[in-house]
């Protein structure tokens, strides 16, 4: 890949791990989109130190369709977008509605806006919770479910446009967001997710689970009565 690369969720640990795996060697233009933060600034400097040309732009879940289009137009002005990584998600929403918007509706609108720019590859960092929603993180699960389903629907249309879409469904990943949560079996880390994503992009896959066994495990859990499972798995 030689065109511009966009990471939406520029402070995401998983997003950065995936970005670094897919970037290739410098020089290359990178756009980090997200809310202004120390992590976003640090990630930008890390990439600049490695020889990449980096710009940052503000992304917020409150952006409407026109504002999303404007953000992408400004961020990618004069440079064709080749790869877009969407690493947006939060378990700390202040309300159920906000959780659905941040994790779901806003991401669905972003994916549709990205499709209009026809990058070669879109990577959506979804979640195993998108397939098996959990009561303890209901707004996160249902939001991810909307984003995941949107990506799969767009992937069916993408065959006519040349855009490839990869949906990544990790289980528990050790990050700042999950630092205060009890670690369940099959926990993984951002670098392992990134390695699986890189292999899946090379082989043109549409859906992957991380770890690989997570897919069969989720299917089995979907069969079992929830009352027999530990509360954190329901």
């Amino acid at each position: 890949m030689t065109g511009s690369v966009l990471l939406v969720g520029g402070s995401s640990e998983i997003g950065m791990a995936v970005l670094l795996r897919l970037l290739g060697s410098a020089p290359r233009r990178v756009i980090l989109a997200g809310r202004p933060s120390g992590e976003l600034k640090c990630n930008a400097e890390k990439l600049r130190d490695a020889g990449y040309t980096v710009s940052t732009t503000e992304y917020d879940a409150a952006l409407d369709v026109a504002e999303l289009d404007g953000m992408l137009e400004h961020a990618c002005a004069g440079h064709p977008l080749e790869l877009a990584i969407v690493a947006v998600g939060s378990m700390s929403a202040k309300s159920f509605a906000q959780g659905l918007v941040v994790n779901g509706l806003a991401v669905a609108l972003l994916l549709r806006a990205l499709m209009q720019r026809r990058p070669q590859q879109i990577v959506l960092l979804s979640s195993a919770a998108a397939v098996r929603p959990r009561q303890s993180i209901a707004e996160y699960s249902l939001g991810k479910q909307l984003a995941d389903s949107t990506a799969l629907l767009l992937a069916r249309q993408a065959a006519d446009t040349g855009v490839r879409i990869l949906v990544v469904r990790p289980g528990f990943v050790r990050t700042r967001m999950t630092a205060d949560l009890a670690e369940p079996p099959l926990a993984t880390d951002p670098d392992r997710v990134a390695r699986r994503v890189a292999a899946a992009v090379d082989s043109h896959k549409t859906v992957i689970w991380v770890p690989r066994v997570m897919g069969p495990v989720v299917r089995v859990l979907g069969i079992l009565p929830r009352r027999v499972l530990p509360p954190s798995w329901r």
Side-chain angles (χ1 to χ4, degrees):
M1 293 183 179
T2 57
S4 295
V5 178
L6 169 68
L7 170 61
V8 184
S11 60
S12 164
E13 292 165 86
I14 308 175
M16 271 297 290
V18 170
L19 176 69
L20 292 171
R21 282 278 172 179
L22 298 182
L23 255 183
S25 57
R28 196 169 187 192
R29 186 170 185 267
V30 182
I31 306 118
L32 299 182
R35 289 185 174 180
S37 68
E39 289 84 5
L40 184 70
K41 183 178 179 180
C42 180
N43 288 342
E45 289 304 317
K46 179 179 179 180
L47 290 165
R48 290 188 184 107
D49 289 344
Y52 298 97
T53 301
V54 184
S55 62
T56 60
T57 188
E58 189 165 350
Y59 166 81
D60 189 280
L63 296 178
D64 61 25
V65 174
E67 290 168 331
L68 279 173
D69 288 337
M71 182 271 286
L72 293 173
E73 181 65 30
H74 175 74
C76 304
H79 301 272
L81 181 63
E82 189 167 0
L83 167 65
I85 302 164
V86 180
V88 177
S90 174
M91 290 184 180
S92 58
K94 296 178 181 178
S95 68
F96 184 81
Q98 185 186 57
L100 290 181
V101 170
V102 170
N103 296 294
L105 179 59
V107 178
L109 294 176
L110 173 63
L111 290 169
R112 291 183 63 85
L114 285 170
M115 278 287 291
Q116 301 301 312
R117 307 202 71 84
R118 298 194 178 185
Q120 180 179 318
Q121 177 77 60
I122 297 173
V123 176
L124 170 68
L125 294 176
S126 181
S127 170
V131 178
R132 188 179 181 278
R134 288 164 46 199
Q135 185 64 46
S136 58
I137 50 170
E139 63 273 23
Y140 177 84
S141 299
L142 295 174
K144 287 290 188 181
Q145 192 172 65
L146 172 57
D148 191 293
S149 297
T150 300
L152 292 180
L153 288 172
L154 290 173
R156 296 175 191 172
Q157 304 170 16
D160 299 328
T161 66
V163 180
R164 295 196 301 270
I165 297 179
L166 171 64
V167 177
V168 185
R169 294 171 178 165
F172 186 99
V173 184
R174 303 178 191 97
T175 64
R176 289 186 301 272
M177 187 174 72
T178 60
D180 295 331
L181 303 177
E183 185 173 308
L186 304 179
T188 188
D189 55 61
D191 190 59
R192 186 174 182 183
V193 176
R195 292 198 302 271
R196 286 275 288 135
V197 169
V201 167
D202 288 341
S203 56
H204 296 183
K205 291 186 180 297
T206 302
V207 178
I208 60 169
W209 297 79
V210 189
R212 196 185 306 269
V213 72
M214 184 59 66
V217 167
V218 166
R219 286 193 286 273
V220 170
L221 290 175
I223 296 171
L224 297 174
R226 292 191 180 240
R227 66 177 180 275
V228 307
L229 300 173
S232 62
W233 286 35
R234 293 176 187 169

